[in-house]
Amino acid sequence: MTTTAPQPSANTNLTLDPADWVAFRTLAHRMVDDSLEHIRTLGDRAPWTPMPDATRATLTSAALPLDGQGDAAAYAEFAEHVLPYTNGNRHPRFWGWVQGNGTPLGMMADMLAAGMNAHLAGLDQAPKLVELKVIEWLATLMGFPKDSSGVLMSGGTMANLVGLAVARHAKAGFDLRKEGLYGAPRLAVYASSEVHSWAQKAVELFGMGSASLRKVPVASDLRMDTATLSAMIAADRATGLRPTCVIGTAGTVNSGAMDDLNAIADICTRESLWMHVDGAFGALAALSPALKPLVAGMERADSVAFDLHKWGYLPYEIACVLVKDRVVHEAAFSLTPSYLTDEGRGVIAGGLPFADRGPELTRNFKALKVWLSFKAHGVRAIADVIEQNVAQAREFGVRVVQLPDAVLSAPVSLNIVCFRFAPAAMSPEEHDAYNKEILLRVQESGLAIISGSRIAGRYVMRVACSNHRSRWDDYESLLAGLARIAHEVRRG
Ligand SMILES: *Cc1c(COP(=O)(O)O)cnc(C)c1O
């Protein structure tokens, strides 16, 4: 048999580094300049422009490029067909779902982190110390002990998932890692009916089944009815289920409602259950001394998960899960194969702490954007913008109901306003269709991006204020546009 493997020779010194560093540096500077200029001028364009046919065709029909066209030509294609067509979330008039804007400094931090290409399983390197320090800062801000464990994750879904995995392992009452769920009693997890969809994904992924996620009804303010929670736990125990964890939501995605975290903490203490808080955006209220009372009780949780790419204004992706007890946290994940043994010296000294705190091994250097933005802006400046968003939401809530037929669909608990137009002459079903049409025209006209949802079964429009670029003028434009479009749709 002959082998076709290439033999080493003078001709195999291949690399993907630039052949011409000077030309590459010029192009790289242009990439930075173009990106920053695009961000600086976002407000001059519509938040969202549907992609032209040529762009759709170019992107969908592209053949696998076996031969390169060079970096300048590839970049030109990006600048023409990709860069301009986003969903608009960086724009000053974007209030859809709960998304983030990102910051120019955060963009540069991600570029610097990519340049370092640090491997953040751990290892003895400065980025590890930055990551540990950022976790300590975040713990302090959330009212957790300074020495809490934690890990940065890609998003709230993943951060919550890690928190719930720790909870389940800690409270299963048997060796879950070894035995799995075979033959075990059904483990139950409690959350309000307004809990974000990550929780169902998590229990399904954990092999627990969605029936293990016990949804507790909410009161009219959309907060968990904690008296019913207690009754459900007792009833479940009586039928042989094993309650493990209560998820309190600090800021529901639909309306920003805050569960009564102190009441949940009392119940968890009494019932010996794990308390996890999903504070995807709402937990960030803790950065502001004025808003911190809204999340009272969060500091009593065993774990809390939150995004920094929503209300922390940083570019995707970054979230954090904090776990008070490091031993319990690592017990759910830690595993040391022979090729990753801590030798006490050398580059592997200190082991791989982040690999021991979640399912991932290779991780990028997420902490740098937090570290740089905290240092550059200061936490107070970030908290001021968070407070500004809350003030904007409250004022928008006051103003929107002054429009003809407009009503609030939920209390403005934090930074989300849910409202609808409900003309007396229409049925509830007609209201749903009417509001949906208004919302789509708001988006398609280039006025603003807001999103829809359902509250108590009825279609509502949502304005989520997690945008550091919106000025009050932008809200005035939305109010005026809503009045005009609502009128136009009604006229037909
Ligand atoms: C956004 C959100 C999540 C999910 O976070 P991702 O970063 O989108 O994965 C979970 N819970 C709540 C309350 C959220 O608002």
Side-chain angles (χ1 to χ4, degrees), residues 167-168 171-173 185-190 208 212 214 229-230 232-246 271-274:
R168 183 177 79 141
K171 295 292 183 182
R186 181 181 285 281
L187 305 178
V189 171
Y190 301 82
M208 295 163 68
S212 299
R214 313 282 289 140
L229 168 66
S230 292
M232 284 170 72
I233 293 169
D236 285 350
R237 284 203 205 278
T239 56
L241 268 66
R242 182 167 298 166
T244 54
C245 173
V246 181
E271 301 281 349
S272 187
L273 301 180
W274 186 277

Side-chain angles (χ1 to χ4, degrees), residues 97-99 154-160 194-199 249-254 278-282 305-310 316-319 416 462:
W97 306 276
V98 183
Q99 295 193 2
S154 55
T157 298
M158 294 304 291
N160 277 301
E194 290 287 301
V195 72
H196 189 277
S197 57
W198 73 265
T249 301
T252 61
V253 65
N254 254 345
D278 172 9
F281 60 94
F306 48 94
D307 278 306
L308 290 146
H309 61 206
K310 286 179 175 171
Y316 300 134
E317 305 166 339
I318 185 163
I416 299 181
R462 280 167 73 254

Side-chain angles (χ1 to χ4, degrees), residues 105-117:
L105 183 67
M107 168 191 137
M108 297 312 297
D110 268 352
M111 193 197 79
L112 298 175
M116 291 183 79
N117 199 30

Side-chain angles (χ1 to χ4, degrees), residues 38 42 46-51 82-101 316 443 448-450:
H38 191 86
L42 280 167
W48 177 72
T49 319
M51 281 175 273
V82 183
L83 178 65
Y85 305 111
T86 69
N87 69 20
N89 58 306
R90 293 170 302 170
H91 194 279
R93 292 193 307 280
F94 184 96
W95 302 287
W97 306 276
V98 183
Q99 295 193 2
N101 295 129
Y316 300 134
Q443 293 183 352
I449 302 296
I450 60 178

Side-chain angles (χ1 to χ4, degrees), residues 127-436:
K128 169 172 116 178
L129 301 187
V130 170
E131 198 114 344
L132 288 170
K133 184 53 74 177
V134 160
I135 291 165
E136 181 192 306
W137 287 343
L138 293 171
T140 303
L141 287 169
M142 294 302 155
F144 267 44
K146 224 173 109 148
D147 61 353
S148 296
S149 180
V151 64
L152 300 176
M153 303 292 297
S154 55
T157 298
M158 294 304 291
N160 277 301
L161 190 127
V162 166
L164 190 58
V166 176
R168 183 177 79 141
H169 183 261
K171 295 292 183 182
F174 57 91
D175 188 348
L176 181 65
R177 286 184 67 176
K178 176 148 184 274
E179 304 298 338
L181 291 170
Y182 300 99
R186 181 181 285 281
L187 305 178
V189 171
Y190 301 82
S192 95
S193 56
E194 290 287 301
V195 72
H196 189 277
S197 57
W198 73 265
Q200 184 179 338
K201 275 196 185 169
V203 291
E204 289 173 1
L205 186 67
F206 292 168
M208 295 163 68
S210 57
S212 299
L213 177 60
R214 313 282 289 140
K215 295 225 180 137
V216 184
V218 290
S220 60
D221 56 6
L222 303 174
R223 305 166 84 200
M224 182 191 288
D225 174 350
T226 49
T228 303
L229 168 66
S230 292
M232 284 170 72
I233 293 169
D236 285 350
R237 284 203 205 278
T239 56
L241 268 66
R242 182 167 298 166
T244 54
C245 173
V246 181
I247 302 165
T249 301
T252 61
V253 65
N254 254 345
S255 75
M258 285 283 176
D259 283 342
D260 183 342
L261 301 176
N262 270 314
I264 291 174
D266 290 342
I267 292 169
C268 286
T269 306
R270 196 176 67 224
E271 301 281 349
S272 187
L273 301 180
W274 186 277
M275 177 177 171
H276 174 76
V277 170
D278 172 9
F281 60 94
L284 277 286
L287 269 61
S288 148
L291 299 174
K292 196 165 182 173
L294 291 174
V295 292
M298 182 167 74
E299 72 289 349
R300 295 172 63 192
D302 297 293
S303 55
V304 57
F306 48 94
D307 278 306
L308 290 146
H309 61 206
K310 286 179 175 171
W311 224 7
Y313 308 112
L314 291 174
Y316 300 134
E317 305 166 339
I318 185 163
C320 178
V321 58
L322 298 171
V323 181
K324 264 190 195 144
D325 188 326
R326 187 169 68 86
V327 174
V328 174
H329 186 179
E330 295 185 355
F333 294 105
S334 157
L335 194 84
T336 309
S338 57
Y339 47 86
L340 298 175
T341 305
D342 178 356
E343 304 295 353
R345 287 172 49 198
V347 77
I348 204 157
L352 306 175
F354 304 119
D356 284 341
R357 297 178 186 187
E360 293 181 309
L361 176 59
T362 301
R363 302 172 56 256
N364 67 354
F365 185 14
K366 294 190 196 314
L368 183 61
K369 53 192 165 191
V370 187
W371 190 85
L372 269 180
S373 72
F374 278 17
K375 286 198 167 268
H377 303 300
V379 173
R380 282 205 185 95
I382 300 166
D384 286 347
V385 188
I386 289 173
E387 285 176 17
Q388 170 173 283
N389 284 154
V390 172
Q392 288 166 333
R394 287 179 184 161
E395 180 62 15
F396 187 81
V398 168
R399 292 285 307 281
V400 76
V401 294
Q402 294 169 7
L403 301 180
D405 302 319
V407 291
L408 288 183
S409 305
V412 182
S413 311
L414 195 61
N415 61 336
I416 299 181
V417 186
C418 295
F419 64 98
R420 61 208 304 259
F421 291 97
M426 291 184 193
S427 70
E429 290 70 31
E430 286 168 335
H431 288 158
D432 290 352
Y434 178 50
N435 282 277
K436 206 176 284 187

